[in-house]
Amino acid sequence: MSTDTIKNARTFRAFKSRNYRLFFSGQSISLIGTWMQKTAVSWVIYTLTHSTFMLGLTLFASLFPAFLFSLIGGVVSDRYNRYRVLLTTQVASLIQAVLLAILILLKHYEIWEILTLSVILGIINAFDVPARQSLIYEMVEDKEDLPNALALNSSMVNLSRIVGPALAGIVLEGIGDGACFLLNALSFVAVIISLLLMKLPEYKHVVHKKNVFGELKEGMAYIKRTPSISFVLIMLALISLLVLPFSTLIPYYARDVFHGTARTFGVIDSFIGLGAFSGAIFLASVKSGTDLRRILFINTLVFGGGLVLFSHEHTYWLALLFVTIAGFGMMSQITVTNTIIQTTSAPKMRGRVISYYALAFFGMQPLGGLLVGTISKYIGPNDTLMGQGIAALILGGIHWRFLHKEKLKKQQALVLESGTDLQVV
């Protein structure tokens, strides 16, 4: 067997599981539609208002409800059949997408109507994310393939981020914004069919003695006494608040910096996805046992560096290069954190821990979107984006300090252990 064959087998080893293959194929189609809709919403809002603050408010409307309800979503994922919860949320997402498509196609819509439907989608996602992420564990037959499945899942998300915005840019110019929303609605049919074709182990109902709030408290206590999980969650929360909302400023760069159209916006967003997709494939290809926390630290610096370079760049092709670098670094913030949580959490706690992950990711981003939109009004989008890159570099430094302390603790523990062994001898 050639080296390339071995590498490819390692990269795609999670596809050995039939249920995961079904999930991957259906979700791939759905996510392309999702990114088409996200791109179209941002472009419609910015075209109507010419306001970076409104872009931040739109992000807030779509993500903040997930912040409010994600912890309850995690408890629901642990208490009930995750498969049925996921199927329900996907049907609900289909209905939301159809309503939004009808609204746009009728051409009689107001900003508040788009924001309201974005809020509804955020509530659905609060229950969807914990169930979907937890169910991946059950889809993979060989649990050693779980990190690979999560990395492939991330590559799927980021590949859709390349294809979705690019298609959205073409459709927005060629057909109109309504087509983007309609195609997204149709894309949910694929993931619903893939879920219906799955053959998962029979669900065994477990009686839960504690109420919802008692289980939430139990989940928080578990995270507190597990530093490896609590640290990456805190880092993700800070990155989500200060850095990840950089995407809200991309329409400004497409329209006002590079004097482009909807297609320009789609291209920039696609290059962010290209970088993130490359990073996800890299992560899927790493050997088992690789120190993922070190990769997370390095890629945080890459993320920050890419944003700093992009922030004041006016040469289009260089800007695309820098934003691709930023996308590569961005990938680790979500994927590595998710992988660490999935592989180290106790099975009975997985749904609740993932809900705190969703809280850090979805909860901080909308607040960050408002923060970025507000700051950009006073110091300008370019300096705001540069500040976000600097924040990522600072957080990378904090991460390095944590890793250094952990290394010293291990060394001290080995020294004490060696001393004890000598005394026994």
Side-chain angles (χ1 to χ4, degrees):
M1 184 180 292
S2 68
T3 304
D4 288 341
T5 304
I6 295 171
K7 183 178 180 181
N8 290 334
R10 186 171 70 227
T11 303
F12 302 103
R13 59 187 179 275
F15 286 153
K16 292 182 294 184
S17 302
R18 176 182 177 275
N19 288 328
Y20 183 75
R21 290 198 306 272
L22 285 168
F23 170 80
F24 188 94
S25 56
Q27 195 75 7
S28 297
I29 297 171
S30 179
L31 283 170
I32 290 173
T34 298
W35 276 106
M36 289 184 71
Q37 177 173 292
K38 284 183 178 181
T39 304
V41 166
S42 295
W43 189 254
V44 168
I45 293 292
Y46 192 68
T47 301
L48 288 174
T49 65
H50 301 286
S51 169
T52 54
F53 175 77
M54 285 305 300
L55 289 172
L57 184 61
T58 304
L59 179 68
F60 181 85
S62 63
L63 294 182
F64 191 71
F67 166 74
L68 294 177
F69 295 99
S70 62
L71 294 182
I72 298 175
V75 173
V76 169
S77 176
D78 280 343
R79 290 173 72 96
Y80 302 103
N81 187 332
R82 290 166 180 163
Y83 171 77
R84 293 191 178 277
V85 172
L86 181 59
L87 190 58
T88 302
T89 59
Q90 290 299 307
V91 172
S93 296
L94 169 61
I95 295 171
Q96 186 272 350
V98 169
L99 291 175
L100 185 55
I102 293 172
L103 188 68
I104 301 297
L105 286 168
L106 291 176
K107 301 294 183 182
H108 295 291
Y109 56 86
E110 301 289 340
I111 297 296
W112 71 266
E113 293 173 321
I114 297 176
L115 294 178
T116 300
L117 285 171
S118 295
V119 168
I120 292 172
L121 182 61
I123 295 172
I124 295 170
N125 284 336
F127 296 87
D128 179 85
V129 172
R132 176 158 37 89
Q133 295 293 342
S134 301
L135 196 64
I136 291 176
Y137 184 89
E138 298 175 31
M139 294 177 193
V140 179
E141 296 168 9
D142 185 349
K143 303 310 176 187
E144 289 187 1
D145 293 338
L146 180 62
N148 177 254
L150 294 172
L152 288 173
N153 195 55
S154 180
S155 70
M156 167 180 60
V157 171
N158 291 301
L159 182 59
S160 68
R161 184 168 184 163
I162 299 171
V163 178
L167 284 176
I170 295 170
V171 173
L172 282 169
E173 285 195 4
I175 305 176
D177 47 20
C180 284
F181 297 97
L182 183 60
L183 287 170
N184 175 53
L186 292 173
S187 71
F188 279 103
V189 176
V191 71
I192 292 172
I193 291 174
S194 71
L195 288 172
L196 293 173
L197 290 174
M198 285 185 187
K199 296 178 181 178
L200 293 166
E202 185 179 352
Y203 173 70
K204 296 179 181 178
H205 179 70
V206 178
V207 177
H208 295 268
K209 298 179 181 179
K210 296 181 180 179
N211 59 26
V212 171
F213 295 103
E215 293 198 348
L216 282 176
K217 187 177 179 181
E218 186 181 36
M220 175 57 77
Y222 174 76
I223 291 171
K224 283 183 177 179
R225 64 174 183 266
T226 315
S228 60
I229 293 177
S230 59
F231 178 78
V232 294
L233 285 177
I234 291 171
M235 288 295 296
L236 179 63
L238 291 172
I239 285 285
S240 296
L241 175 66
L242 301 174
V243 191
L244 287 179
F246 83 94
S247 59
T248 61
L249 299 176
I250 298 302
Y252 158 78
Y253 279 89
R255 190 182 184 98
D256 297 332
V257 175
F258 301 113
H259 309 291
T261 62
R263 183 172 295 186
T264 309
F265 176 37
V267 169
I268 296 174
D269 228 356
S270 292
F271 271 82
I272 296 172
L274 176 62
F277 174 71
S278 302
I281 291 296
F282 162 74
L283 188 61
S285 302
V286 299
K287 296 179 180 179
S288 300
T290 301
D291 188 353
L292 294 178
R293 290 175 179 81
R294 183 175 176 81
I295 291 176
L296 181 58
F297 150 65
I298 294 171
N299 277 1
T300 303
L301 298 181
V302 172
F303 187 18
L307 291 181
V308 170
L309 292 170
F310 173 78
S311 62
H312 285 79
E313 183 56 59
H314 286 78
T315 303
Y316 187 51
W317 70 269
L318 273 176
L320 292 178
L321 172 63
F322 295 147
V323 85
T324 303
I325 293 171
F328 185 97
M330 178 188 69
M331 174 279 311
S332 284
Q333 315 308 315
I334 305 161
T335 307
V336 174
T337 301
N338 189 11
T339 303
I340 291 171
I341 288 171
Q342 292 265 28
T343 54
T344 58
S345 296
K348 66 177 183 179
M349 292 288 183
R350 189 169 291 115
R352 276 165 284 179
V353 174
I354 290 175
S355 72
Y356 281 100
Y357 161 83
L359 184 70
F361 181 62
F362 290 115
M364 294 297 104
Q365 271 200 80
L367 296 176
L370 288 179
L371 181 65
V372 167
T374 302
I375 293 175
S376 67
K377 289 176 65 178
Y378 294 99
I379 68 173
N382 303 79
D383 287 338
T384 301
L385 193 64
M386 184 173 67
Q388 291 179 273
I390 293 171
L393 295 174
I394 293 171
L395 290 173
I398 294 172
H399 200 151
W400 175 84
R401 186 179 180 187
F402 174 81
L403 292 176
H404 184 64
K405 284 185 176 181
E406 288 292 301
K407 185 178 179 180
L408 289 177
K409 285 181 182 178
K410 288 180 180 179
Q411 290 176 346
Q412 290 173 356
L414 287 172
V415 169
L416 290 172
E417 185 179 343
S418 299
T420 304
D421 290 343
L422 287 172
Q423 289 177 2
V424 171
V425 173

